[in-house]
Amino acid sequence: MSDTTPDTVPGHRYTAELAGRIENRWQDFWEANGTYHAPNPVGDLATGDLPADKLFVQDMFPYPSGAGLHVGHPLGFIGTDVYARYHRMTGRNVLHTMGFDAFGLPAEQYAVQTGQHPRVTTEANINTYLRQIRRLGLGHDERRRISTIDPGYYKWTQWIFLQIFNSYYDADAGKARPIAELEAKFAAAGAEFDGKTWAELDKAARAKVLNEHRLVYLSEAPVNWAPGLGTVVSNEEVTADGRTERGNMPVFRRNLRQWMMRITAYGDRLIDDLDRLDWPEKVKSMQRNWIGRSNGARVTFKSSNGHNSVDNVDDCDITVFTTRPDTLFGATYMVLAPEHSLVEALTPAAWPEGADERWTGGAATPAEAVAAYRRAASTKSDLERQENKKKTGVFTGAFAVNPVNGEQIPVFIADYVLAGYGTGAIMAVPGQDQRDWDFATAFGLPIIRTVDPGEGFDGEAFTGDGPAINSGFLDGMDVEEAKKTIIAWLEERGAGTGTINFKLRDWLFSRQRYWGEPFPIVYDEDGTPTAVPESMLPVELPEVDDYSPKTFDPTDADSEPSPPLSRASEWITVELDLGDGPKTYRRDANTMPNWAGSCWYQLRYVDPTDSERFCEPENEAYWLGPRADQGPNDPGGVDLYIGGVEHAVLHLLYARFWQKVLFDLGHVSGDEPYRRLFNQGYIQAFAYTDARGVYVPAHEVVERDGKHFHVDPDGGEQEVRQEYGKMGKSLRNVVTPDEMCEQYGADTFRLYEMSMGPMEVSRPWATKDVVGAQRFLQRLWRNLVDEETGAPRVVEDAPDEATLRLLHKTIAGVHEDYSAMRYNTAGAKLIELNNHITKHFPGGAPRVVAEAVVPMLAPVCPHVAEELWQRLGHTESLAHGPFPTADEAYLVEDSVEYPIQVNGKVRGRVTVAASAGQDEVKAAALAEEKVAALVEGKTPKKVIVVPGRLVNIVL
RNA sequence: GCCCCCGUAGCCCAACAGGCAGAGGCAGCCCCCUUAAAAGGGGUCGAGUGCCGGUUCGAAUCCGGUCGGGGGCACCA
């Protein structure tokens, strides 16, 4: 390291130590001068001229974790910064900043452990984070920093919640509307609700009706209950193996009264509008997959059973969703999910005559069999239910009527049918569905093929296309035609309808935690939820003694959530006058999920100080509105949004949903939040385990002959095993940006990260490679500054033609690379140019070259670029340019060297004037010595001249 | 099981739209500087593009198959 031999290093060499001084100085300068302040059209931040050409660049909202940053975290931040700086230098008004998504579980859990208020630890973490990112020289508009835990911010999160609460989805118009309009419609149209008109309903009854239509509503549906966390979580937060994404706790389906957001109303638009977005295909397909739209039909099967146990016989009809209504003639039995609400009503008192032993599970009555099966299913976690692919189930004792042929078919319950998808019930067609085939085989149920699988088919269920058979009036039709025909037939008879089904379910929006936004909702004595008036926002979090929700044994499925806010007795009851005079209300004790704050933060970045509105319309339209230059279908949104792919369905789906509601209600001008999305790759790292499987510090490992050895500080050495993956404390392979800044400087670190590969690619961290970036900056520095004296060493003479050509080629290439986020190749071009300077100008760089190369370096290495710019004699910061432009005159070559291929192999080269026509090139190629020898009087079959590229002679 | 992405020097990566496989960095090697060493300087070596086949005058690039790696979804009716 440089500090070991200070006496031999020239005083003005670009060492880590000098870089550190330069970086500090410029960070202070930028901050003091508001260098990165981007003016708004109106309001507090309307400072300075407003360029028409703007760019909004955004990083995904970071959570300020207590662990601090490792070198992987800033990759995306530096990428957006380079992009922002490049565009700022070319004259655009660039909005780039960073705030914090600061509510969340880790801070709360830490608070529970230490007894410290989560705000205290969160704010400390934010300060650490800010210190770390400041050191990297990110050009953020500091005035726009926001934090979701700030009451000035979450006031508006609550306000948006109320907008959604006070809306319904008008399916005919295909958009959200104020709930007041629906109320007026109900009042005017004389609509009836259980035989009463709107006017006849009392307040609570009206509220109940409206609750059924609101975009945020209270629901009693089954939710994901995680006893180990003491809270419910959304479907998106449950992993495929039925555990919580955070905390890895088992999740159980429980009927609990919870807030839901009606995101399903937007299913079509959320899918269709993906086509208008400039997003990675991968993310789009993940969203399509998650939303899971499928076309099919709902078909109702009448059931005459159940009247033994329940009075209302009509209620026993079973509606199923199917994507294959064409196979209805092959439906030989039905299956309900064990949790299906009709199960009890359907179940008769006794088994029908001769019920199969396999069907009854050996139980004396259907009720016993059903109860036993339901009990068994409910104690299984989702994972267990999925793992066991062997079909289980039990007969309910009931039958239903197949509407196409009047056949009585048995009704089962089985856990291979999911309660939450479709109607929670299916018609089983074993001939065309493998799952049904498996079940039918296990239970001895009939199998009827309704699609001809063709000669020689020896499989089980046939899911392909073919002519319908055994299907009455459908026989002979292909699947597509049969579907159309049967849907029309069903609709005519009122037995079914063509329909679209979504896998997407409504968004469970309440959590039983402390550290989140309180709901701006109170309940009256009837338990009717009412919005807190806007004037009373924000509803602030109360101080409490105990931040933890009541948690339970993680496997205790029967436990009940008990949110911490419910114990804040002072806060929970409140006296309000909501129009009926002062009354006592009870506050909602839930908090919003972590995703709430990040659903709309781009809007607040735009107008962070506005106290009247969440965002002024002029500012919103300028930064986020649709733009004519983006084509006719432009949805608007952030111009470049960079983050990891892990938020593909959670945050990105929720944020799109909120944006669409705000758009429908006229609060914003664009209907998508993020026009262009880009997923950066991850920085990964090697980790090493010794013979015991214990991780050893990665920096103490050396490689020899493809083997890895851990060199103990005491001198011992042992072979270790290499793993590749994440960087993390427990893997003992963390490298921090702070260390890199200390050892090399922030500019070197930035340059190294950007040159490791293209932005989207994941790559391994290699500390030993960082020195390459440092050497380049040292060489560049040395070409412009005398290492002994610190004086500039540029020469005023005009450079030669070849140098100018290279310079302008570099300028043109660097422009392209920066716009395409190919920072690795931009860096390589600058190194190439610098190598040229080193070789040809030992006395110092020509000024014209120096004054171009420094600004070109600035987006990646802003500090050293500012420093060099100043030393070249400039007094203005480089942040807003100038950025050099290429002179076309130097880009066109006078002459071109053509490689000459004979039968595809290069055999020689000729140099001809760039203006030469194809015939001249051809003639020159054939005249070339080695080529002529090969051709030797033969007449070539073909001579291909690719202008500017090569010549290929085919013999 | 289904879907998507990626395989180029020892390593990380370039190669516009099919047209000379190499821009850049690390490591290696040689030389210079140095009493010496180093993350100081200069230079140099290095792969025929995972594998098989096809299309083409010409393939890293397009197509089919195959192997390897990564990711997403997964009883969604």
PDB file of all heavy atoms in Angstrom, chain A residues 191-205:
ATOM      1  N   ALA A 191     -82.307   0.953  -7.101  1.00  0.00           N
ATOM      2  CA  ALA A 191     -81.787  -0.410  -6.989  1.00  0.00           C
ATOM      3  C   ALA A 191     -82.231  -1.028  -5.675  1.00  0.00           C
ATOM      4  O   ALA A 191     -82.477  -0.327  -4.698  1.00  0.00           O
ATOM      5  CB  ALA A 191     -80.263  -0.363  -7.056  1.00  0.00           C
ATOM      6  N   GLU A 192     -82.379  -2.345  -5.685  1.00  0.00           N
ATOM      7  CA  GLU A 192     -82.831  -3.028  -4.473  1.00  0.00           C
ATOM      8  C   GLU A 192     -81.723  -3.862  -3.865  1.00  0.00           C
ATOM      9  O   GLU A 192     -80.907  -4.457  -4.564  1.00  0.00           O
ATOM     10  CB  GLU A 192     -84.025  -3.926  -4.807  1.00  0.00           C
ATOM     11  CG  GLU A 192     -85.246  -3.104  -5.174  1.00  0.00           C
ATOM     12  CD  GLU A 192     -86.538  -3.864  -4.883  1.00  0.00           C
ATOM     13  OE1 GLU A 192     -86.455  -5.061  -4.537  1.00  0.00           O
ATOM     14  OE2 GLU A 192     -87.595  -3.237  -5.004  1.00  0.00           O
ATOM     15  N   PHE A 193     -81.685  -3.863  -2.562  1.00  0.00           N
ATOM     16  CA  PHE A 193     -80.703  -4.638  -1.821  1.00  0.00           C
ATOM     17  C   PHE A 193     -81.459  -5.494  -0.817  1.00  0.00           C
ATOM     18  O   PHE A 193     -82.035  -4.974   0.127  1.00  0.00           O
ATOM     19  CB  PHE A 193     -79.733  -3.702  -1.109  1.00  0.00           C
ATOM     20  CG  PHE A 193     -79.090  -2.726  -2.059  1.00  0.00           C
ATOM     21  CD1 PHE A 193     -79.695  -1.509  -2.336  1.00  0.00           C
ATOM     22  CD2 PHE A 193     -77.909  -3.056  -2.712  1.00  0.00           C
ATOM     23  CE1 PHE A 193     -79.134  -0.623  -3.222  1.00  0.00           C
ATOM     24  CE2 PHE A 193     -77.342  -2.177  -3.603  1.00  0.00           C
ATOM     25  CZ  PHE A 193     -77.946  -0.955  -3.869  1.00  0.00           C
ATOM     26  N   ASP A 194     -81.531  -6.776  -1.070  1.00  0.00           N
ATOM     27  CA  ASP A 194     -82.322  -7.681  -0.227  1.00  0.00           C
ATOM     28  C   ASP A 194     -83.745  -7.163  -0.071  1.00  0.00           C
ATOM     29  O   ASP A 194     -84.306  -7.143   1.033  1.00  0.00           O
ATOM     30  CB  ASP A 194     -81.672  -7.868   1.152  1.00  0.00           C
ATOM     31  CG  ASP A 194     -80.452  -8.768   1.054  1.00  0.00           C
ATOM     32  OD1 ASP A 194     -80.418  -9.629   0.134  1.00  0.00           O
ATOM     33  OD2 ASP A 194     -79.548  -8.605   1.876  1.00  0.00           O
ATOM     34  N   GLY A 195     -84.317  -6.692  -1.186  1.00  0.00           N
ATOM     35  CA  GLY A 195     -85.699  -6.257  -1.180  1.00  0.00           C
ATOM     36  C   GLY A 195     -85.922  -4.847  -0.662  1.00  0.00           C
ATOM     37  O   GLY A 195     -87.050  -4.384  -0.602  1.00  0.00           O
ATOM     38  N   LYS A 196     -84.853  -4.158  -0.306  1.00  0.00           N
ATOM     39  CA  LYS A 196     -85.023  -2.792   0.190  1.00  0.00           C
ATOM     40  C   LYS A 196     -84.366  -1.815  -0.779  1.00  0.00           C
ATOM     41  O   LYS A 196     -83.364  -2.151  -1.420  1.00  0.00           O
ATOM     42  CB  LYS A 196     -84.357  -2.630   1.559  1.00  0.00           C
ATOM     43  CG  LYS A 196     -85.091  -3.350   2.675  1.00  0.00           C
ATOM     44  CD  LYS A 196     -84.387  -3.075   3.993  1.00  0.00           C
ATOM     45  CE  LYS A 196     -85.047  -3.820   5.138  1.00  0.00           C
ATOM     46  NZ  LYS A 196     -84.197  -3.790   6.343  1.00  0.00           N
ATOM     47  N   THR A 197     -84.942  -0.616  -0.871  1.00  0.00           N
ATOM     48  CA  THR A 197     -84.286   0.404  -1.688  1.00  0.00           C
ATOM     49  C   THR A 197     -83.171   1.030  -0.876  1.00  0.00           C
ATOM     50  O   THR A 197     -83.088   0.851   0.346  1.00  0.00           O
ATOM     51  CB  THR A 197     -85.274   1.521  -2.083  1.00  0.00           C
ATOM     52  OG1 THR A 197     -85.672   2.222  -0.902  1.00  0.00           O
ATOM     53  CG2 THR A 197     -86.489   0.940  -2.785  1.00  0.00           C
ATOM     54  N   TRP A 198     -82.329   1.780  -1.580  1.00  0.00           N
ATOM     55  CA  TRP A 198     -81.191   2.433  -0.923  1.00  0.00           C
ATOM     56  C   TRP A 198     -81.667   3.308   0.233  1.00  0.00           C
ATOM     57  O   TRP A 198     -81.079   3.310   1.319  1.00  0.00           O
ATOM     58  CB  TRP A 198     -80.439   3.273  -1.965  1.00  0.00           C
ATOM     59  CG  TRP A 198     -79.144   3.846  -1.469  1.00  0.00           C
ATOM     60  CD1 TRP A 198     -78.884   5.147  -1.192  1.00  0.00           C
ATOM     61  CD2 TRP A 198     -77.941   3.124  -1.189  1.00  0.00           C
ATOM     62  NE1 TRP A 198     -77.594   5.303  -0.763  1.00  0.00           N
ATOM     63  CE2 TRP A 198     -76.981   4.069  -0.746  1.00  0.00           C
ATOM     64  CE3 TRP A 198     -77.584   1.774  -1.248  1.00  0.00           C
ATOM     65  CZ2 TRP A 198     -75.689   3.712  -0.380  1.00  0.00           C
ATOM     66  CZ3 TRP A 198     -76.290   1.425  -0.890  1.00  0.00           C
ATOM     67  CH2 TRP A 198     -75.363   2.388  -0.451  1.00  0.00           C
ATOM     68  N   ALA A 199     -82.749   4.044  -0.014  1.00  0.00           N
ATOM     69  CA  ALA A 199     -83.256   4.955   1.006  1.00  0.00           C
ATOM     70  C   ALA A 199     -83.700   4.208   2.257  1.00  0.00           C
ATOM     71  O   ALA A 199     -83.645   4.732   3.364  1.00  0.00           O
ATOM     72  CB  ALA A 199     -84.409   5.776   0.446  1.00  0.00           C
ATOM     73  N   GLU A 200     -84.161   2.982   2.061  1.00  0.00           N
ATOM     74  CA  GLU A 200     -84.662   2.206   3.205  1.00  0.00           C
ATOM     75  C   GLU A 200     -83.547   1.585   4.039  1.00  0.00           C
ATOM     76  O   GLU A 200     -83.778   1.120   5.146  1.00  0.00           O
ATOM     77  CB  GLU A 200     -85.598   1.089   2.710  1.00  0.00           C
ATOM     78  CG  GLU A 200     -86.941   1.624   2.250  1.00  0.00           C
ATOM     79  CD  GLU A 200     -87.690   0.605   1.399  1.00  0.00           C
ATOM     80  OE1 GLU A 200     -87.113  -0.453   1.071  1.00  0.00           O
ATOM     81  OE2 GLU A 200     -88.845   0.867   1.068  1.00  0.00           O
ATOM     82  N   LEU A 201     -82.342   1.525   3.461  1.00  0.00           N
ATOM     83  CA  LEU A 201     -81.234   0.915   4.210  1.00  0.00           C
ATOM     84  C   LEU A 201     -80.749   1.876   5.285  1.00  0.00           C
ATOM     85  O   LEU A 201     -80.703   3.086   5.061  1.00  0.00           O
ATOM     86  CB  LEU A 201     -80.067   0.608   3.271  1.00  0.00           C
ATOM     87  CG  LEU A 201     -80.305  -0.430   2.171  1.00  0.00           C
ATOM     88  CD1 LEU A 201     -79.030  -0.602   1.364  1.00  0.00           C
ATOM     89  CD2 LEU A 201     -80.744  -1.762   2.766  1.00  0.00           C
ATOM     90  N   ASP A 202     -80.362   1.316   6.427  1.00  0.00           N
ATOM     91  CA  ASP A 202     -79.768   2.196   7.427  1.00  0.00           C
ATOM     92  C   ASP A 202     -78.286   2.399   7.103  1.00  0.00           C
ATOM     93  O   ASP A 202     -77.748   1.802   6.170  1.00  0.00           O
ATOM     94  CB  ASP A 202     -79.988   1.659   8.849  1.00  0.00           C
ATOM     95  CG  ASP A 202     -79.271   0.340   9.081  1.00  0.00           C
ATOM     96  OD1 ASP A 202     -78.365   0.002   8.301  1.00  0.00           O
ATOM     97  OD2 ASP A 202     -79.645  -0.362  10.044  1.00  0.00           O
ATOM     98  N   LYS A 203     -77.641   3.230   7.893  1.00  0.00           N
ATOM     99  CA  LYS A 203     -76.282   3.634   7.591  1.00  0.00           C
ATOM    100  C   LYS A 203     -75.321   2.430   7.521  1.00  0.00           C
ATOM    101  O   LYS A 203     -74.503   2.315   6.612  1.00  0.00           O
ATOM    102  CB  LYS A 203     -75.798   4.607   8.681  1.00  0.00           C
ATOM    103  CG  LYS A 203     -74.848   5.634   8.138  1.00  0.00           C
ATOM    104  CD  LYS A 203     -74.379   6.564   9.240  1.00  0.00           C
ATOM    105  CE  LYS A 203     -72.858   6.612   9.253  1.00  0.00           C
ATOM    106  NZ  LYS A 203     -72.281   6.965  10.520  1.00  0.00           N
ATOM    107  N   ALA A 204     -75.467   1.549   8.500  1.00  0.00           N
ATOM    108  CA  ALA A 204     -74.572   0.395   8.545  1.00  0.00           C
ATOM    109  C   ALA A 204     -74.794  -0.507   7.340  1.00  0.00           C
ATOM    110  O   ALA A 204     -73.835  -1.038   6.765  1.00  0.00           O
ATOM    111  CB  ALA A 204     -74.796  -0.385   9.840  1.00  0.00           C
ATOM    112  N   ALA A 205     -76.055  -0.668   6.941  1.00  0.00           N
ATOM    113  CA  ALA A 205     -76.352  -1.535   5.801  1.00  0.00           C
ATOM    114  C   ALA A 205     -75.805  -0.938   4.508  1.00  0.00           C
ATOM    115  O   ALA A 205     -75.278  -1.643   3.651  1.00  0.00           O
ATOM    116  CB  ALA A 205     -77.865  -1.746   5.684  1.00  0.00           C
TER     117      ALA A 205
END
